[in-house]
Amino acid sequence: MDTIIGSMTALITPFKNGKVDLEKYESLIKRQIANGIDAVCPVGTTGESATLSHKEHKECIEVAVAACKNTRVKVLAGAGSNATHEACDIAKFAEEIGADGILSIAPYYNKPTQQGLYAHYKAIANSIEIPVMLYNVPGRTGVDLLAETAIKLFDDVKNIYGIKEATGSLERATSIISQREDFVVVSGDDSVDFPMLASGAKGIISVTANLVPDLKVKLVNSTINGDFKTGLKVHNDLFELNKVLFCESNPIPIKAAMYLAGLLDTLEFRLPLTEPSKETLIKLENILKKYEVVK
């Protein structure tokens, strides 16, 4: 089974007049490809998947697969839901349309037990044959996929190969890596990318990479190849940017930053998300002066 690792971008979803702007979406993905990213992750939580219709969700995956066809860039499609049958449906579509794998967030709001999480992920993975990456972000979902549950899923289900750990905890990442060397852990928190990679993570799924994919590629490639000095410098250089991009709920700041940088024609969100405050826009404008955003 081909594992999807390296520098990966949690894609935003552009809107225009209330609808998904698929043309802009395609161009944003092609920009990611041109800047050397290893994989794109359409319709994850950064892609506002919770407020997309199933039709829109599937269209985004379809556009991503088409844009990455005949390139080296993989598509790790968002296929998560708090209803297991809905997650299975999206996962099956992703496989049929040609996605290389799926990224599936832990079910939000329901607050299942660890047994429920195990059964949920096993059902999704068993509905398809392509690789599955678990996604743990308790700060957003209200439920924590514990290390022992993730490891049991890896041991028991052949196509579950990795986990996006967005707890921000190095201890959690190490607890998995130290017990299962072949279980791929990737950083899901831009603020700890370098220490995660230096501790054995095999990649990142980044929000910041929507804006500066070239720098995130440099960070990952340097660190994984043992050039810790370069990797650490890039990571530290990105500190201020990473910080301001999470000063309001994701993806509000990253979409605003992309709009200010000229990467988005419109700045639109789906309610209940709203435009950033004036204070946040000023912060973003000031921070962007310190970085070169390649178009």
Side-chain angles (χ1 to χ4, degrees), residues 127-149:
S127 73
I128 56 176
E129 294 183 3
I130 57 176
V132 175
M133 180 175 285
L134 313 173
Y135 178 11
N136 188 38
V137 56
R140 297 291 292 240
T141 63
V143 65
D144 190 359
L145 179 65
L146 298 179
E148 51 264 38
T149 307

Side-chain angles (χ1 to χ4, degrees), residues 25-47:
Y25 196 57
E26 181 184 20
S27 72
L28 291 175
I29 294 170
K30 287 182 175 179
R31 175 177 174 263
Q32 291 288 323
I33 295 168
N35 278 277
I37 212 77
D38 292 311
V40 293
C41 304
V43 279
T45 48
T46 301

Side-chain angles (χ1 to χ4, degrees), residues 200-236:
K202 298 294 194 300
I204 66 172
I205 296 179
S206 168
V207 172
T208 307
N210 280 284
L211 189 68
V212 285
D214 54 323
L215 294 180
K216 283 295 185 174
V217 168
K218 186 176 181 180
L219 165 60
V220 173
N221 290 350
S222 298
T223 308
I224 285 181
N225 290 325
D227 183 0
F228 286 3
K229 183 177 180 180
T230 299
L232 179 58
K233 184 182 186 308
V234 176
H235 182 71
N236 287 340

Side-chain angles (χ1 to χ4, degrees), residues 37-255:
I37 212 77
D38 292 311
V40 293
C41 304
V43 279
T45 48
T46 301
E48 298 175 74
S49 55
T51 54
L52 297 184
S53 69
H54 284 192
K55 179 176 180 291
E56 290 171 327
H57 192 119
K58 290 176 179 178
E59 285 174 341
C60 287
I61 296 174
E62 201 166 1
V63 169
V65 169
C68 294
K69 190 175 183 180
N70 299 321
T71 75
R72 50 173 287 281
V73 178
K74 305 292 187 183
V75 176
L76 188 64
S81 173
N82 62 341
T84 305
H85 69 92
E86 290 183 358
C88 289
D89 175 67
I90 296 169
K92 289 175 185 175
F93 175 83
E95 180 175 51
E96 289 167 6
I97 207 69
D100 300 285
I102 67 158
L103 172 70
S104 192
I105 193 167
Y108 40 88
Y109 186 77
N110 309 51
K111 298 189 81 171
T113 63
Q114 295 301 303
Q115 181 182 351
L117 289 169
Y118 176 87
H120 171 82
Y121 276 120
K122 188 173 183 179
I124 296 169
N126 283 342
S127 73
I128 56 176
E129 294 183 3
I130 57 176
V132 175
M133 180 175 285
L134 313 173
Y135 178 11
N136 188 38
V137 56
R140 297 291 292 240
T141 63
V143 65
D144 190 359
L145 179 65
L146 298 179
E148 51 264 38
T149 307
I151 288 169
K152 182 170 172 53
L153 282 162
F154 173 72
D155 288 345
D156 293 352
V157 187
K158 64 179 182 178
N159 56 331
I160 291 178
Y161 82 98
I163 183 168
K164 176 186 176 182
E165 258 301 333
T167 54
S169 169
L170 293 178
E171 181 181 356
R172 174 62 64 85
T174 301
S175 70
I176 296 171
I177 294 167
S178 63
Q179 294 181 69
R180 294 293 185 278
E181 187 179 348
D182 294 334
F183 190 7
V184 170
V185 174
V186 302
S187 171
D189 185 339
D190 283 283
S191 67
V192 294
D193 281 349
F194 176 78
M196 285 276 282
L197 291 165
S199 298
K202 298 294 194 300
I204 66 172
I205 296 179
S206 168
V207 172
T208 307
N210 280 284
L211 189 68
V212 285
D214 54 323
L215 294 180
K216 283 295 185 174
V217 168
K218 186 176 181 180
L219 165 60
V220 173
N221 290 350
S222 298
T223 308
I224 285 181
N225 290 325
D227 183 0
F228 286 3
K229 183 177 180 180
T230 299
L232 179 58
K233 184 182 186 308
V234 176
H235 182 71
N236 287 340
D237 287 346
L238 287 170
F239 173 77
E240 286 186 280
L241 181 60
N242 289 334
K243 188 175 180 180
V244 75
L245 288 180
F246 291 91
C247 67
E248 292 188 32
S249 296
N250 181 50
I252 293 173
I254 182 60
K255 290 184 84 172

